[in-house]
Amino acid sequence: MGPDRALACLEFRNDPHWMAASGQAAAEEENMARHGRTWMLPIMGALMTTTVFAQGAMTDVGTPRSETMIVQTFDGRSSNPSAQNPLNSYAIWRGFRELGWAALWEMDTATGESYPELADGFPEVLNDEHTKFRVKIREGIKWSDGEDFNVDDIIFTFDTAFKYRDKLTNVSAITRLVDSYEKIDDHTFEVTTATPVYDFVTRMGVYTWGMPFNWVPQHVFEPLGDEVVTFQNAPAVTLGAYKIKEFDPNGFWQLWELREDWDESGWNIDEEPAVKYVYYKDFGTEETRALAFVQNQYDVDTFMSPDSIEAAKARNPNIETFSATFPYHDMNDACSYGIYINNQKAPYDMPEVRWALALALDLEQVGISAMSGQFKASPLPLADTPITNPLYVEPLESWLEELTIGDGYKPFNTDFGADLVETLAAQGVDQAQLPSGDAVEAGFGIGWWKHDPEQAAKMLESVGMAKGADGFFTMPDGSPWVLEFVIPGDWNKVLQRVGFSIADSWRQAGFNVNARQVDNGEFGTVQTTNARMELQINWSNSCTYNANWQNSWRNFRADNVLPADSNDALVQNYARIVDERIFDIVSESASLEIGTEEFVENGRQIAKYLTEDMQMINLMNIPTTIPTNSTYWTNFPKQDNFYAAPYTWWSSFKKTVTNVEPTGQ
């Protein structure tokens, strides 16, 4: 059942005449409102769950609704919610980096600037080579169980990571970066890095969404000895202003509670947050979520599709998008959506095949069918944002326009945005809501690749691939070619819809595509396993928030390449880049200061290499469709109130939690 029909059913259920006819007494409805009672109603063939809240109501986990911020989980249901040991892969989307952890240095996502959190100021660089640093941490910080946090916890985390580096699955960020470390006193330590590090603050702290590793409490982990490798750590002892109150062993929800000693947490905040509880919950399929959102059952969604958002807004005036004008959503995420290709597997090891996939893809139609046209195209392998555009995008526009492939064909369409505006207007979008003039490029990007299936066919024919009797392209030896294209399931509805639309576009051009939707766990396994990956829609190797392109691309290294059929876990480089030219630039740039012209120019050159051989097919900035419901809480980050990125899965969500205000409902 689609969102419009489902919401119409909900309106029918709430009609007072229907209530009277159904025999529901006023006293029962009042009781339901007071206690947040759940109704399971078979209406028009669909089983719907609705919860009605009122002033004084309680949530289904027993907290006052007026004190509880409720957030749809990023990944839906967690398959192993008891996995809370950050030294291993763990249930990351349960609020840990947002509420539980704290970093030496956090990122102000409104400006792209770092600021101290656990640390007492910024590090002291001890040598000209930028390999030795002294760090001081603030005094008076306590873990959520009341024990002191100090340098002993940091040294213990280092010790444990190195001792069990071959068994722990989430410590490589430490063991690759750090060469040695030393305690100076209870609040001071020194680190020597294996190579020059000019971005030490973001390597040891937060670059965008959270830390690559997290400190663990010595007093909890040390008594375990070798069992630390298999320790689940549930419920985790944490450093943030919130602590775990309860979590669902089946993985559908997790509840966090503000610490009484919030001012002694690692967050370094001066005012008590108004939010006492933060409740992460999976409300199910998008249709069910839309119903729950209209009924004020939760406050912030995660990647709801545009048509469902519009249907919900029409029925609840408190539901809002990031912007009041087209394209309505925040497009400034550090990452971008792209198609990652196993460049080591035939036939994807040929640039002609990769270019054919790009030219056969009708991105305008994909964006309209999946996103109602609410997206910003990005042909280069990074997001086009107000920070990255003057550094990496605008300087390469003329290069894109002159780029040739094959027999001299120019693939770039600089009019992509203008064409999209015309199409949307023809389809009935209010012209007043659409950008014009220079705003077209700001809204829809600098352009994208031409949709040219004929040229795509020529590229394939040039390497011996032609259409068979069934209308689908074959391998060079004439055997069937089925594209295994992995996309998310319902846990990321927006990316799922983009993936299905791409598969449809390819099929129309003669590609036999198996679009396989998977849960979050399998999605990660495919991402890290060469033997299971051919094509995957993803975002994890295109994340650049400011001048520091090394954040993503430092992982393009020869030692991050495994055989094409390997079942071993890949460490980063999920785009399977095998270009020696890029490896050399990454290595050379490690000794360059971040933001210098030479460093930035190296990033532009990598972008050129990735693009000219289509080593990954970048699509669009992540359209972060995050509607909010202001029934219980107001002052969410919006375009005209941008105090932080509006993402509930970044560590900067703490800014939202500490800035929202109760409505009194």
Side-chain angles (χ1 to χ4, degrees):
M1 182 171 63
D4 283 326
R5 185 180 175 202
L7 292 171
C9 294
L10 185 60
E11 286 185 336
F12 177 69
R13 178 257 177 272
N14 282 326
D15 184 275
H17 299 291
W18 185 90
M19 286 292 293
S22 67
Q24 298 295 332
E28 180 63 16
E29 177 158 71
E30 181 181 352
N31 181 63
M32 178 185 71
R34 180 178 297 114
H35 298 290
R37 178 174 171 181
T38 298
W39 289 79
M40 302 295 290
L41 301 171
I43 300 175
M44 297 176 67
L47 188 65
M48 304 195 312
T49 302
T50 64
T51 305
V52 180
F53 291 110
Q55 193 167 22
M58 305 295 286
T59 67
D60 57 357
V61 287
T63 60
R65 181 66 177 94
S66 61
E67 298 179 352
T68 308
M69 177 180 286
I70 306 179
V71 180
Q72 164 66 35
T73 58
F74 179 88
D75 62 337
R77 174 180 173 269
S78 172
S79 60
N80 187 8
S82 296
Q84 299 178 18
N85 181 351
L87 301 180
N88 281 319
S89 298
Y90 68 101
I92 191 171
W93 309 109
R94 308 287 101 184
F96 285 97
R97 61 184 170 200
E98 303 93 317
L99 305 172
W101 309 138
L104 290 171
W105 300 278
E106 183 51 277
M107 172 68 73
D108 183 338
T109 52
T111 65
E113 300 294 328
S114 299
Y115 65 90
E117 192 171 60
L118 292 172
D120 187 7
F122 289 100
E124 180 183 355
V125 181
L126 298 179
N127 63 4
D128 293 339
E129 293 77 22
H130 274 73
T131 59
K132 191 167 185 177
F133 306 86
R134 178 176 293 142
V135 180
K136 293 184 179 294
I137 63 172
R138 293 188 295 112
E139 298 185 22
I141 300 172
K142 294 186 180 298
W143 291 96
S144 59
D145 63 357
E147 293 290 325
D148 288 339
F149 167 78
N150 57 39
V151 165
D152 289 337
D153 295 299
I154 291 174
I155 298 300
F156 173 79
T157 303
F158 281 138
D159 287 345
T160 304
F162 279 94
K163 182 177 181 179
Y164 300 104
R165 64 192 303 174
D166 295 330
K167 296 180 179 179
L168 295 169
T169 61
N170 202 27
V171 299
S172 63
I174 296 179
T175 58
R176 284 171 175 253
L177 174 69
V178 174
D179 184 64
S180 63
Y181 47 90
E182 179 185 2
K183 175 182 175 179
I184 305 303
D185 58 45
D186 283 350
H187 296 93
T188 310
F189 67 100
E190 292 181 0
V191 170
T192 301
T193 56
T195 59
V197 177
Y198 286 86
D199 53 349
F200 184 79
V201 165
T202 54
R203 297 288 297 278
M204 291 289 290
V206 173
Y207 178 69
T208 49
W209 54 82
M211 284 181 65
F213 55 87
N214 292 283
W215 311 116
V216 296
Q218 180 182 16
H219 65 279
V220 173
F221 279 65
E222 188 172 44
L224 298 170
D226 293 344
E227 293 179 11
V228 71
V229 173
T230 57
F231 183 42
Q232 291 283 84
N233 194 37
V237 173
T238 52
L239 280 169
Y242 289 79
K243 63 182 180 180
I244 299 170
K245 183 175 176 62
E246 193 176 358
F247 68 93
D248 174 24
N250 296 311
F252 289 102
W253 55 264
Q254 183 150 325
L255 179 65
W256 295 78
E257 180 180 21
L258 182 68
R259 290 168 48 174
E260 291 184 3
D261 62 343
W262 57 268
D263 55 337
E264 295 180 310
S265 76
W267 279 12
N268 196 13
I269 54 176
D270 297 325
E271 295 185 13
E272 181 176 1
V275 178
K276 186 172 182 180
Y277 304 96
V278 183
Y279 180 24
Y280 285 80
K281 181 177 179 179
D282 176 26
F283 286 87
T285 64
E286 182 161 303
E287 290 79 5
T288 306
R289 282 162 52 192
L291 286 166
F293 209 42
V294 167
Q295 284 290 75
N296 306 321
Q297 291 186 40
Y298 66 107
D299 307 300
V300 189
D301 195 78
T302 303
F303 290 114
M304 182 180 286
S305 60
D307 52 350
S308 292
I309 293 174
E310 288 305 305
K313 285 176 61 179
R315 289 163 176 81
N316 187 329
N318 290 329
I319 293 175
E320 300 173 318
T321 51
F322 178 74
S323 170
T325 57
F326 210 93
Y328 304 120
H329 311 293
D330 179 74
M331 304 289 177
N332 299 317
D333 193 300
C335 307
S336 55
Y337 285 161
I339 300 166
Y340 291 179
I341 305 167
N342 192 331
N343 293 299
Q344 298 169 260
K345 281 188 178 180
Y348 309 106
D349 55 347
M350 295 185 284
E352 294 86 355
V353 173
R354 301 192 295 263
W355 265 111
L357 290 171
L359 295 172
L361 198 164
D362 186 349
L363 187 62
E364 177 182 291
Q365 190 54 47
V366 166
I368 290 174
S369 61
M371 293 295 306
S372 301
Q374 299 169 27
F375 72 102
K376 184 176 184 178
S378 182
L380 295 167
L382 72 168
D384 177 1
T385 70
I387 296 176
T388 59
N389 182 282
L391 293 168
Y392 298 112
V393 180
E394 190 276 331
L396 294 181
E397 278 194 72
S398 60
W399 178 83
L400 286 167
E401 292 167 359
E402 297 302 318
L403 175 66
T404 61
I405 59 173
D407 57 359
Y409 178 81
K410 289 189 175 183
F412 188 62
N413 177 16
T414 190
D415 295 324
F416 180 87
D419 295 341
L420 178 58
V421 169
E422 287 186 12
T423 302
L424 292 171
Q427 292 184 354
V429 175
D430 183 359
Q431 192 76 44
Q433 291 289 302
L434 292 169
S436 60
D438 294 340
V440 172
E441 183 172 303
F444 293 122
I446 62 169
W448 209 70
W449 312 115
K450 297 172 181 175
H451 176 227
D452 194 341
E454 290 185 9
Q455 181 64 26
K458 289 181 182 179
M459 301 291 288
L460 293 176
E461 290 164 1
S462 72
V463 293
M465 303 175 73
K467 285 186 179 179
D470 59 0
F472 292 122
F473 286 101
T474 67
M475 296 287 280
D477 63 1
S479 61
W481 177 30
V482 180
L483 287 71
E484 182 77 3
F485 184 38
V486 173
I487 66 177
D490 274 342
W491 57 273
N492 191 324
K493 193 73 172 182
V494 171
L495 195 54
Q496 177 195 45
R497 289 172 59 141
V498 172
F500 275 130
S501 297
I502 289 169
D504 182 62
S505 186
W506 279 340
R507 289 190 192 100
Q508 292 179 41
F511 296 86
N512 190 359
V513 185
N514 176 29
R516 187 166 68 88
Q517 55 179 328
V518 300
D519 63 24
N520 186 58
E522 186 174 358
F523 188 84
T525 300
V526 171
Q527 174 179 262
T528 58
T529 310
N530 278 356
R532 301 184 62 174
M533 203 288 232
E534 291 184 9
L535 300 167
Q536 182 181 35
I537 192 166
N538 208 323
W539 63 85
S540 59
N541 264 146
S542 58
C543 304
T544 300
Y545 203 66
N546 48 34
N548 187 12
W549 56 262
Q550 286 267 27
N551 175 64
S552 280
W553 297 346
R554 69 163 48 92
N555 297 303
F556 297 159
R557 299 166 22 163
D559 57 352
N560 281 342
V561 176
L562 295 174
D565 58 353
S566 172
N567 280 295
D568 294 334
L570 194 65
V571 179
Q572 302 298 318
N573 192 12
Y574 303 134
R576 276 75 178 177
I577 304 305
V578 292
D579 190 330
E580 294 287 348
R581 300 171 301 174
I582 292 176
F583 295 163
D584 289 343
I585 294 176
V586 170
S587 177
E588 294 165 5
S589 300
S591 298
L592 297 177
E593 186 173 350
I594 306 298
T596 62
E597 181 57 30
E598 185 179 0
F599 177 87
V600 172
E601 184 56 41
N602 279 357
R604 294 172 190 149
Q605 187 58 58
I606 292 175
K608 289 180 181 180
Y609 286 150
L610 292 172
T611 302
E612 66 186 15
D613 285 340
M614 198 50 68
Q615 298 182 50
M616 65 171 77
I617 305 175
N618 209 64
L619 300 167
M620 62 183 74
N621 291 12
I622 293 180
T624 45
T625 52
I626 308 175
T628 58
N629 185 326
S630 61
T631 299
Y632 289 94
W633 302 98
T634 62
N635 199 39
F636 291 102
K638 299 293 180 185
Q639 183 166 289
D640 58 359
N641 185 30
F642 194 72
Y643 59 81
Y647 316 138
T648 61
W649 59 95
W650 283 20
S651 63
S652 60
F653 183 55
K654 60 172 65 97
K655 289 289 189 180
T656 300
V657 172
T658 55
N659 277 276
V660 293
E661 301 167 356
T663 64
Q665 286 279 33

